[in-house]
Amino acid sequence: MASKKNKGLVTRLRRKAMKVSFKIKYQQTGLLEVVEQIQVRSNSFLRSPEWRALRRQAIARYGSTCVKCGRVGSKKSPINIDHIKPRKYYPELALDIDNLQPLCAPCNKRKGNNIEAPWVTYA
């Protein structure tokens, strides 16, 4: 039981360290101000006209089939356009079409914000 607690603690510490290192990287490169201005980490980003247009382009480019399980999108179970590298950790890639992939809802939920997920990607 103690090993599960330790594993959870290590995971939380790694995530915290990653956030701090990205913030330092953004400060050094001058991207921090840009990232804060476009607010790509907020939920309003998904309602922005830029994201909606890019999402339509991604569906046209990659199709509406999940790259993980092959499920075809429908009205009942639509395909999500997922950021391969999450907006949370890579805000500069939020509007990069090469950082997008179509996933069904269950596969997208399983992936979450995991950076090291072994998913099929377009690159």
Side-chain angles (χ1 to χ4, degrees), residues 30-84:
L31 284 174
L32 186 63
E33 293 79 19
V34 174
V35 168
E36 288 173 349
Q37 283 178 356
I38 60 174
Q39 298 178 354
V40 296
R41 292 175 64 180
S42 71
N43 287 334
S44 62
F45 169 79
L46 298 176
R47 293 187 298 271
S48 71
E50 295 85 4
W51 168 248
R52 289 178 182 226
L54 184 62
R55 183 182 183 283
R56 283 191 294 274
Q57 287 177 0
I59 290 172
R61 183 176 183 180
Y62 301 128
S64 60
T65 303
C66 178
V67 296
K68 174 63 178 161
C69 68
R71 183 178 294 167
V72 177
S74 66
K75 274 192 171 186
K76 202 170 194 176
S77 60
I79 290 295
N80 297 315
I81 297 300
D82 172 64
H83 288 87
I84 297 166

Side-chain angles (χ1 to χ4, degrees), residues 71-115:
R71 183 178 294 167
V72 177
S74 66
K75 274 192 171 186
K76 202 170 194 176
S77 60
I79 290 295
N80 297 315
I81 297 300
D82 172 64
H83 288 87
I84 297 166
K85 294 181 179 179
R87 290 182 294 141
K88 181 178 183 178
Y89 302 117
Y90 298 93
E92 70 277 7
L93 299 176
L95 294 172
D96 182 3
I97 196 164
D98 294 327
N99 187 40
L100 302 177
Q101 65 183 351
L103 292 177
C104 65
C107 290
N108 193 26
K109 187 172 182 174
R110 254 181 277 143
K111 178 187 174 269
N113 279 337
N114 191 352
I115 295 173

